[in-house]
Amino acid sequence: QAEAARRLPESVVAVGIGRTCTDPLDLPLSHREALRALAVGARARGPGHVSLFEDLGLDRLLAGCSDAELAAFRDATLGPLLAHDAAHHAELVRTLEAFLACSGNAARTAQALFVHYNTLRHRLTTVEQVLALSLDDPDARLSLGLALRVLRMLPR
């Protein structure tokens, strides 16, 4: 990437790297992994990135889904909350993201958002009402976290 930037200063170069293989017959698999790493890097990091397939984590699974399928999941999971935020100039999506990042600890979330604890509790109750779910449900939290990740990858 550095050499390409030196030789072609106006170009943006992205790199995808598949897993190392010892058998030449595994080269096509490594090549597919490199292409997947490149696609994930473009979604998650934008142009001019270096992505290793081994480091993709959850994004490795998401890369196997089409943009249309990811967008449908995002909209089905977060759509009502995104619409509520837009209609009411609210910050419920940001609040939800902070809550999940703080492992569901409301006190830490309130501190992270610089809001009063009662304000946070009210926002979280509104999130639950708008989405018709409980934030105590681990499956709901997993789906919401995944949908928020997709939202970062594929903004509306």
Side-chain angles (χ1 to χ4, degrees), residues 6-72:
R6 188 184 70 74
R7 290 182 186 217
L8 305 164
E10 290 86 36
S11 299
V12 176
V13 177
V15 178
I17 302 172
R19 288 181 284 193
T20 304
C21 54
T22 56
D23 185 341
L25 294 176
D26 291 335
L27 283 173
L29 173 62
S30 182
H31 181 254
R32 285 192 303 275
E33 292 172 351
L35 292 175
R36 184 175 266 183
L38 196 58
V40 169
R43 280 182 179 168
R45 297 179 195 94
H49 60 276
V50 175
S51 298
L52 280 73
F53 183 80
E54 291 178 335
D55 295 343
L56 295 181
L58 177 61
D59 291 334
R60 191 159 119 185
L61 297 176
L62 295 177
C65 298
S66 70
D67 285 356
E69 185 62 34
L70 290 172

Side-chain angles (χ1 to χ4, degrees), residues 69-129:
E69 185 62 34
L70 290 172
F73 174 75
R74 175 202 61 209
D75 294 343
T77 307
L78 292 176
L81 200 60
L82 291 163
H84 182 277
D85 272 3
H88 300 283
H89 299 25
E91 293 188 336
L92 297 181
V93 172
R94 184 171 157 256
T95 299
L96 175 61
E97 196 164 23
F99 179 71
L100 295 176
C102 290
S103 302
N105 183 312
R108 281 190 13 230
T109 305
Q111 288 176 339
L113 293 174
F114 302 104
V115 299
H116 191 275
Y117 181 82
N118 291 337
T119 300
L120 175 72
R121 295 301 317 160
H122 175 71
R123 287 183 186 179
L124 294 175
T125 298
T126 304
V127 167
E128 290 179 321
Q129 290 171 345

